[in-house]
Amino acid sequence: MPTQLQHAREGTVTDAMERVAARENRDPEFVRQQVADGQAVIPANDHHDALDPMVIGREFATKVNANIGNSETTSSREEELRKLHAAVHYGADTVMDLSTGDDLDGIREMNVEHSPVPVGTVPIYEAVTRVDDVLHITPELLLDVIEKQAEQGVDYMTIHAGVLAEHLPLTDGRTTGIVSRGGSILAQWMEENGAQNPLYTHFESICEIFREHDVTFSLGDGLRPGSLADAGDDAQFAELDTLGELTRVAWEHGVQVMVEGPGHVPMDQIRENVQRQQAVCDGAPFYVLGPLVTDVAPGYDHITSAIGATEAARAGAAMLCYVTPKEHLGLPDAEDVRDGMAAYRVAAHAGDVAAGLPGARDWDDALSEARYNFDWERQFDLALVPERAQSYHDQTLPGDNYKDARFCSMCGVEFCSMRIDQDARDADGDMEAIDGQVDLSESPAASVNLPPTGTHDTSRVPDDLADHDHPTDELSADD
């Protein structure tokens, strides 16, 4: 079957494009043209039956990816399914299975079977587990792993084909060297074998596999900076130039492409990074990790990165890869997934509001109206994470009678500014009364910029994970 890109070039509006248009409140023909021009991608492997199609592109609402997966030291199939459900429940638009431990095939197949959002992988991780030494990875092994994962239904794959042997000396003066797992593995392979990156030399063979199954490239940034000191160096931009070359090769084969970006970047360099990628890669969607704008906050890097992610979204990044509080410290669990997703949904939404996307601010205005009117129940319902908002309110004012109160415990009755303002407006003075005007049912906003955040069909998720409102409530330390 033709890929989404090939259909779009032929003038065909596919079912996936129709679904995407409905979710984005856009004309289907606009979606088709964006895909045809390579400015947007619809990751949709032909074998992913549970998929609810979505689109990634700078002209659409900013999307958020959640990284999940086990490690050599921890996590089980059940825990990975919990992470998947938590990610989808809290608004993930895609998930990446970055598993490197046991049961790789089982976890991957489980994610594809149950996930309503696109599933991504990094195939070189599995290739490493098949050999005793990185030195023994062969191009044939890499292609075998890639083809198997494509047949399993993976929608997009990170391929670190832009890390070339001639780029490696450019990393010698770095503070943190090569921090990408895929980049470091390939660098070791090239050094020990004295050969060029096999993902680069066999890139057209990978394109053929991707075209057969309509897998989308996520061209990996294997030389991304892992610290502010390394941001914007020659190694990072040499790889980016190669990614621009590979983008055009993939397009020639009818394969969709998005390009991954840094990493750790000072706030003042983020817009420049986005603009440079868009120019070098001819507008292919930019998918950024963070960026983290400071290196000093282990345990809070979901915050340091969400700050950078907001600026990246405003500048035109199409998808943000979330960072959890465990970044640099350990393997995230389902609660970390929730916290990372909340931070990044805020970042994506704030970026869309700042960029002036149609209707993006309607959600904010509706919540502000509920807040001013002391409509606590509606305020909870409109909150990004309703259960968290109500829990914080009820810690100090738990009674049902306080759901009609014209104050919260921060100011109390006497000092509540909104109550004071309302009373002043109700008096026969010069200030007019304020009436709410926002009707979210009429908003032109994309679905990700309207509540509730988690709107995907979770019917394929096992009942014991999907039959309650709070997917992290039942987790314990023993899980």
Side-chain angles (χ1 to χ4, degrees):
M1 293 179 61
T3 65
Q4 293 292 326
L5 176 56
Q6 290 172 320
H7 275 305
R9 286 173 174 171
E10 293 166 359
T12 302
V13 175
T14 64
D15 290 344
M17 295 174 200
E18 291 277 6
R19 171 60 177 148
V20 162
R23 297 181 69 179
E24 297 285 331
N25 269 320
R26 296 296 186 92
D27 187 275
E29 175 59 25
F30 178 75
V31 174
R32 185 203 65 77
Q33 191 63 58
Q34 286 286 299
V35 173
D37 293 342
Q39 310 300 288
V41 297
I42 301 176
N45 188 313
D46 299 332
H47 308 299
H48 189 169
D49 296 334
L51 182 67
D52 185 6
M54 51 79 69
V55 67
I56 302 167
R58 66 182 180 280
E59 294 298 326
F60 302 98
T62 305
K63 303 308 188 297
V64 177
N65 170 69
N67 286 342
I68 58 177
N70 71 2
S71 74
E72 291 181 293
T73 62
T74 186
S75 195
S76 64
R77 191 181 294 197
E78 180 185 21
E79 175 63 12
E80 289 309 310
L81 193 55
R82 288 176 181 271
K83 290 182 194 176
L84 170 65
H85 181 46
V88 172
H89 179 85
Y90 291 110
D93 299 294
T94 77
V95 295
M96 288 202 78
D97 177 8
L98 304 186
S99 294
T100 56
D102 296 329
D103 196 20
L104 297 183
D105 278 331
I107 289 174
R108 187 182 311 115
E109 290 170 353
M110 175 194 70
N111 284 332
V112 171
E113 178 186 358
H114 296 302
S115 178
V117 303
V119 174
T121 60
V122 186
I124 197 168
Y125 295 172
E126 180 179 351
V128 170
T129 68
R130 290 207 194 177
V131 295
D132 296 329
D133 190 294
V134 169
L135 173 69
H136 300 138
I137 293 175
T138 64
E140 292 73 24
L141 172 60
L142 288 169
L143 292 174
D144 179 60
V145 169
I146 289 169
E147 184 167 25
K148 182 193 68 174
Q149 293 191 6
E151 291 172 348
Q152 288 175 317
V154 171
D155 302 288
Y156 67 98
M157 298 186 202
T158 294
I159 303 295
H160 296 92
V163 183
L164 303 185
E166 55 266 36
H167 298 160
L168 301 185
L170 300 176
T171 67
D172 288 346
R174 282 185 160 187
T175 297
T176 49
I178 300 175
V179 299
S180 159
R181 288 195 294 201
S184 63
I185 291 166
L186 286 163
Q188 180 185 357
W189 188 93
M190 286 185 279
E191 286 285 297
E192 294 186 4
N193 284 281
Q196 186 57 277
N197 181 351
L199 295 175
Y200 179 80
T201 58
H202 290 71
F203 189 75
E204 293 199 67
S205 296
I206 301 172
C207 288
E208 292 174 6
I209 295 171
F210 278 23
R211 182 178 59 207
E212 180 180 355
H213 302 282
D214 201 359
V215 177
T216 298
F217 273 108
S218 185
L219 293 178
D221 53 340
L223 299 181
R224 67 176 179 267
S227 57
L228 298 189
D230 297 337
D233 68 358
D234 291 342
Q236 176 190 339
F237 291 137
E239 181 186 24
L240 178 61
D241 289 341
T242 306
L243 297 182
E245 167 200 333
L246 296 174
T247 295
R248 291 179 280 276
V249 172
W251 283 343
E252 290 171 2
H253 284 78
V255 179
Q256 300 183 95
V257 182
M258 57 183 170
V259 178
E260 297 183 15
H264 293 241
V265 181
M267 188 79 163
D268 60 299
Q269 296 180 25
I270 292 174
R271 177 168 289 275
E272 173 192 348
N273 268 260
V274 176
Q275 292 173 340
R276 184 164 184 160
Q277 181 275 340
Q278 291 287 273
V280 170
C281 300
D282 296 338
F286 200 24
Y287 165 32
V288 296
L289 175 64
L292 286 76
V293 297
T294 181
D295 299 336
V296 301
Y300 297 93
D301 278 332
H302 60 311
I303 298 174
T304 64
S305 61
I307 293 169
T310 303
E311 178 62 12
R314 187 169 77 99
M319 186 160 75
L320 313 173
C321 183
Y322 86 161
V323 172
T324 77
K326 289 274 182 62
E327 186 76 10
H328 303 113
L329 302 173
L331 184 71
D333 60 18
E335 185 172 356
D336 298 314
V337 169
R338 177 196 66 188
D339 291 344
M341 277 307 309
Y344 270 71
R345 283 262 58 105
V346 170
H349 181 71
D352 288 347
V353 171
L357 261 67
R361 210 191 71 188
D362 289 348
W363 185 359
D364 303 79
D365 292 346
L367 193 145
S368 294
E369 291 170 3
R371 179 174 290 148
Y372 183 77
N373 292 322
F374 298 103
D375 188 342
W376 293 106
E377 296 292 353
R378 178 158 173 76
Q379 186 178 166
F380 299 151
D381 288 343
L382 290 175
L384 185 74
V385 182
E387 55 266 27
R388 173 65 65 91
Q390 181 164 354
S391 173
Y392 279 5
H393 173 273
D394 291 356
Q395 282 178 9
T396 51
L397 298 175
D400 289 343
N401 56 309
Y402 290 114
K403 300 302 187 294
D404 297 318
R406 297 174 66 207
F407 63 92
C408 72
S409 63
M410 182 175 181
C411 297
V413 180
E414 199 67 29
F415 287 93
C416 177
S417 58
M418 290 189 181
R419 182 200 60 76
I420 294 169
D421 182 77
Q422 284 182 358
D423 289 348
R425 292 178 187 278
D426 289 341
D428 294 330
D430 295 330
M431 295 191 297
E432 296 183 0
I434 298 175
D435 294 320
Q437 301 294 325
V438 175
D439 181 0
L440 289 181
S441 66
E442 299 297 324
S443 174
S447 60
V448 299
N449 278 323
L450 293 171
T453 299
T455 57
H456 297 290
D457 177 10
T458 58
S459 60
R460 289 175 176 263
V461 177
D463 290 342
D464 64 330
L465 296 180
D467 61 1
H468 54 82
D469 292 331
H470 317 307
T472 62
D473 283 356
E474 296 179 4
L475 299 178
S476 69
D478 294 334
D479 289 328

